[in-house]
Amino acid sequence: MPISDRLRLGVNIDHVATVRNARGGDTPDPLRAAKLAEEAGADGITAHLREDRRHISDRDIDALMAGLGVPLNFEMAATDEMMQIALRHKPHAVCIVPEKREERTTEGGLEVAREENRMAHFIAPLREAGCRVSIFIAADPAQIEAAARIGAEVIELHTGAYCDAHAEERYVARDVELQSLREMSAYAHSLGLEVHAGHGLTYDTVGPVAVFPEVRELNIGHFLIGEAIFCGLKPAIAQMRELMDAARSETLKTSG
């Protein structure tokens, strides 16, 4: 699998829906945010339809599928309900994520190695329907190997531990996590998997991940929606795009 020069940006618009749902009604509209993200340079839109519908709703998925000009990455838990919704819409990509009702956001990666047989059977209909199947996992070789064995085309490496360590100024731990992400990106690529990464990335933490030549896409949401309060959504995304491109440019100079 060739390494791509361009690093794609997927913008997660879940928390536009969180703000809307805090009061009810129709505003702010996640589809409007998605279209602004597209104008600002996003290569795709990510939306997580949770079991409890705490942010994105079924109606949002309907609107995104009908109104987007870029691919939708549909994040979902490995449940029968979500399977039926994904098969009805057939989005460009489906990312299987762990989901616990009590968590505020997706914490940790999916346990694939211990549920390999179940996950292999679960993703088969999605692949048959033409969806690119991605598995959201920790930077762990056992999980990567299991993802490859079950037939996933893509993995998304969980960057949360790296970002948390940076935010808490635990710089030794941060560097350990970053090195693990670096090594596991290369390992996954060697197994023929397309590598994505995301969770918790900010302007301060995106560059060191964006330089990994094997990473093809970053998915970023909460930070961008937060920054949009202060500077607007398009400028927030444009700055992230600029930082990603600058980091990838350094990678190309080094490899050249």
Side-chain angles (χ1 to χ4, degrees), residues 177-216:
E177 294 292 342
L178 186 63
Q179 182 61 24
S180 178
L181 289 165
R182 183 190 306 274
E183 292 173 357
M184 291 303 100
S185 296
Y187 182 50
H189 182 266
S190 75
L191 297 180
L193 291 162
E194 182 171 315
V195 183
H196 299 178
H199 196 84
L201 292 168
T202 68
Y203 294 151
D204 292 333
T205 56
V206 71
V209 177
V211 299
F212 300 163
E214 300 85 5
V215 174
R216 299 282 298 278

Side-chain angles (χ1 to χ4, degrees), residues 68-240:
L68 282 180
V70 293
L72 175 66
N73 177 32
F74 179 57
E75 286 191 348
M76 56 177 261
T79 66
D80 291 340
E81 179 195 21
M82 293 301 153
M83 171 69 78
Q84 293 308 311
I85 293 170
L87 292 177
R88 183 168 72 250
H89 287 293
K90 297 182 177 64
H92 168 77
V94 172
C95 185
I96 313 298
V97 301
E99 186 175 310
K100 299 176 183 177
R101 190 170 297 184
E102 66 274 13
E103 69 187 1
R104 287 180 295 176
T105 185
T106 304
E107 301 295 347
L110 193 69
E111 176 54 63
V112 186
R114 286 204 301 264
E115 297 188 72
E116 193 169 320
N117 187 58
R118 183 179 83 86
M119 290 303 302
H121 284 88
F122 184 82
I123 71 170
L126 296 167
R127 293 196 62 184
E128 291 169 8
C131 302
R132 297 201 74 196
V133 177
S134 175
I135 308 291
F136 186 70
I137 56 175
D140 175 81
Q143 302 302 331
I144 292 169
E145 291 160 5
R149 285 194 297 267
I150 67 173
E153 297 171 270
V154 183
I155 60 161
E156 181 169 340
L157 294 177
H158 187 289
T159 55
Y162 154 66
C163 294
D164 289 346
H166 178 84
E168 295 162 9
E169 299 182 352
R170 295 184 289 111
Y171 297 131
V172 173
R174 176 200 63 186
D175 293 346
V176 169
E177 294 292 342
L178 186 63
Q179 182 61 24
S180 178
L181 289 165
R182 183 190 306 274
E183 292 173 357
M184 291 303 100
S185 296
Y187 182 50
H189 182 266
S190 75
L191 297 180
L193 291 162
E194 182 171 315
V195 183
H196 299 178
H199 196 84
L201 292 168
T202 68
Y203 294 151
D204 292 333
T205 56
V206 71
V209 177
V211 299
F212 300 163
E214 300 85 5
V215 174
R216 299 282 298 278
E217 179 175 303
L218 298 179
N219 283 297
I220 306 173
H222 182 267
F223 174 79
L224 291 173
I225 303 308
E227 281 297 297
I229 294 171
F230 304 105
C231 69
L233 187 57
K234 290 177 72 172
I237 293 170
Q239 184 171 347
M240 185 64 77

Side-chain angles (χ1 to χ4, degrees), residues 240-253:
M240 185 64 77
R241 174 81 264 172
E242 183 178 335
L243 291 168
M244 289 168 54
D245 290 345
R248 182 51 58 99
S249 177
E250 288 301 312
T251 297
L252 294 175
K253 288 179 184 177

